[in-house]
Amino acid sequence: MWVKILPSLKMGTLWFTSLWYLLFFLLTSEEACAESVIKSVQLIIHPRNEVERGTNVSLICHAEVSHSPGSLPIYEYNIYKDFKLLNTDQANSKDYQYSIPDARMADSGKYKCEVVIKEQKKESLVEDLTVKGLQTPVLTVDKLKLIEGNHVNFNCTAEGERGVLRFFIRDGSQELYTELTYSRRVDWQLNLPKGTVNIFCYYSITLRSTELSNVSNVIRLDIQELEINPNIEVIPSKNVTEGDLITFSCSVDTTYQRNSDPIITLSHGHIVLSSNMTKTDYKVYAKANESGEYECTSRLGSVSKVSAMNISVKELFSMPVLSIPPAKVFEGEHFSISCQINSLASERIRMDDIRYSILQDKTPVINGSLYNGTAGKASNGKYICVAEAKGIIKKSRMVLFEAEVLVSKPEISVYGPVIVNKPFWIHCHSYNGSLPIIYSLKRNNITLNKTEVSDLHENARFLAMISTPLDISSYMCEAENNGQVSRKMSERLRVTVIVPVGKPLLTIIPVPENIEEGSDVTLICNIAKGSPPINFSFYGGSGTEIYSTTVQSNSSSYVLSAVKRQQSGNYYCEANNQAQSLIKSDTVSVEVSLATWKKALIAVFCMLVVALLVLFIVRHYKAKRVVVNNKESVWSERLPDVADQDSPVSTNEGDIEYTEVVHLQPVDPTQRRPVRIC
């Protein structure tokens, strides 16, 4: 069916929708433009901060808020207890109330409230609420008359309490049960012993401290004893002798216990001998080690009763004793094994009634109390002896017998190198022989020292020293572990002996005074004694090592080829071997002189210099001439002396002489002075 909508109806609907959107826009715009400011928040506890249990408490949160006229903000209230959120709610009022009806101690704590308006948030100060007093619990039981072994159900209730409670159930000072629960009650079941009990309960709650409630009502219970006490009987008596037949019987009088069938057991110590004593008796032959307390236990349900009797068993004969004298028996020596007892029940048996046997490793050796043999590997083993009489068999303690082994021939050796005039260790050791072993060090059959060794892997050590290599073979070692008959001597000590090197002698060829440049010089280092290999080292003029070698002989050499003058100096050598005693030779001074041809060349050169010098001097004094400053030559004639004026004038030209005249002042041509002729 089709419905036609009138145009007027369509127009009305459109106008209504438009109006609704307009109103919504105006309202939301006004709310969006409204402003609120939270000034303060206060928490008030009514009627007061400290109240008694059962009081109705109100937490009032008051907010001081400023807001725009005409606007009504929405308040969000958050209530906190002990700083944990307890409740949250919204309201249009400045005051909000949170109620705690019938307050309990569990409601005690620190409270605060918080007000939230849009993005704003403000908290009150913390207020303490204290609720005093705990409710007295009530104790109930399901039955008041009990028989020993019956169960009784208890119930302890603290109605109206909240929080975590710990319940305690006691019989006077004895604690019977405890339980921690969130519930207001606790149920449990107990099985109480006979007698009278006074049961009560109480509980505790822990807040800032532990608070205890008052004690509940006390319930008195009388538990009737279950009469199932067993009776124990022993035949023939409590005091018996080893080997006697003992009969134990246990019974329970059930005359006053109708419809009861207790279980009866017999035990000795921790061992149950019989678990069916109700129907049969327990029989056993008495043994000495079975003296003590025997118990009959009757059990019905969870109730058990015990009766005990102490049984004393006397020994028929004592434990046999096995002995092997002497304490030490060496291979090849005779030994004996004896078996005997120290006491017996003379009223029951005689000494002849006891039969002995001796066993080695569980194999019979002899039927008797004495065995003789020769010590050796075949006689080594575990021995016991067995004594038997009247059906009673007793064994001795096991004795381990091992024949002592005579010491073997010792071996002699040394530890480390043997060096003349230095101490060294001599070791002696026997690979076989019972401990302890006494070792003696001998030299030329004279005992120098003794020592005792108690460890099979330990060597005897002796400190020794020799002055010559031949002395080493004079040492021997002796071992003994059973007196003189066991003494064994080692071979003579034969080892390599190291002789320290003697002082080396350095020889230089040619002799140090005849060494010229360019010649070869041989250095020879020689020692008088020392065990090879020997290390020789040569040191040059500057004190540095120039050569080192190890040889199997007592000397070594080194050649300096074409020596030079700078190789002059002090030379020496050193010698060493395994004795590690480094010895240095005396120092030899070496002076390298010039070569012969150099000496001749120098002599020729010196003679040539002297000849030239002499020639120069001769020529200098033979050459005579006069040198004038103005570079002219002067002829002078000899003037006649006054003394010679009367003599005849000689006109011989041969009297003319030449000389050089140096004028220190200008010459006056008008004056002529005589010239002195040298």
Side-chain angles (χ1 to χ4, degrees), residues 228 230-231 248-254 260-266 274-282 296-300:
I228 57 171
N231 296 318
F248 292 89
S249 63
C250 297
S251 62
V252 175
D253 185 3
T254 59
S260 62
D261 190 12
I263 299 173
I264 304 175
T265 60
L266 176 67
S274 175
S275 58
N276 190 22
M277 295 296 292
T278 306
K279 298 180 180 180
T280 60
D281 295 335
Y282 179 76
C296 279
T297 304
S298 63
R299 188 176 72 255
L300 183 62

Side-chain angles (χ1 to χ4, degrees), residues 458-479:
E458 182 182 355
N459 292 338
R461 299 196 313 162
F462 302 97
L463 195 62
M465 188 170 65
I466 58 175
S467 56
T468 66
L470 296 177
D471 293 341
I472 196 68
S473 61
S474 63
Y475 286 98
M476 299 177 72
C477 181
E478 184 182 71

Side-chain angles (χ1 to χ4, degrees), residues 192-295:
L192 298 172
K194 67 176 183 177
T196 301
V197 294
N198 297 291
I199 308 296
F200 62 89
C201 71
Y202 62 94
Y203 65 93
S204 68
I205 183 171
T206 302
L207 298 173
R208 300 172 191 173
S209 61
T210 300
E211 300 290 337
L212 298 178
S213 71
N214 293 328
V215 175
S216 71
N217 55 303
V218 178
I219 296 179
R220 179 187 176 93
L221 296 176
D222 292 320
I223 297 93
Q224 181 182 351
E225 182 181 1
L226 189 61
E227 296 292 343
I228 57 171
N229 293 315
N231 296 318
I232 181 170
E233 293 183 0
V234 178
I235 299 174
S237 69
K238 296 187 295 183
N239 299 315
V240 295
T241 302
E242 196 173 22
D244 291 347
L245 179 64
I246 307 176
T247 301
F248 292 89
S249 63
C250 297
S251 62
V252 175
D253 185 3
T254 59
T255 303
Y256 302 100
Q257 302 295 334
R258 297 178 180 179
N259 301 323
S260 62
D261 190 12
I263 299 173
I264 304 175
T265 60
L266 176 67
S267 60
H268 175 49
H270 298 288
I271 300 174
V272 176
L273 302 177
S274 175
S275 58
N276 190 22
M277 295 296 292
T278 306
K279 298 180 180 180
T280 60
D281 295 335
Y282 179 76
K283 298 180 179 182
V284 65
Y285 286 99
K287 295 181 180 179
N289 59 350
E290 292 179 350
S291 296
E293 191 174 70
Y294 287 76
E295 294 179 344

Side-chain angles (χ1 to χ4, degrees), residues 421-483:
N421 293 326
K422 286 189 178 181
F424 62 94
W425 288 102
I426 295 178
H427 286 194
C428 292
H429 179 68
S430 294
Y431 288 97
N432 293 316
S434 298
L435 300 173
I437 300 174
I438 299 175
Y439 292 94
S440 302
L441 180 66
K442 293 179 176 292
R443 183 175 181 180
N444 296 325
N445 294 323
I446 298 175
T447 301
L448 301 179
N449 201 354
K450 287 187 177 184
T451 185
E452 184 176 289
V453 173
S454 299
D455 187 346
L456 188 61
H457 303 287
E458 182 182 355
N459 292 338
R461 299 196 313 162
F462 302 97
L463 195 62
M465 188 170 65
I466 58 175
S467 56
T468 66
L470 296 177
D471 293 341
I472 196 68
S473 61
S474 63
Y475 286 98
M476 299 177 72
C477 181
E478 184 182 71
E480 63 176 279
N481 64 349
N482 189 29

Side-chain angles (χ1 to χ4, degrees), residues 647-661:
S647 64
V649 178
S650 174
T651 60
N652 187 2
E653 294 181 358
D655 294 332
I656 299 175
E657 293 183 359
Y658 296 91
T659 185
E660 288 182 349
V661 180

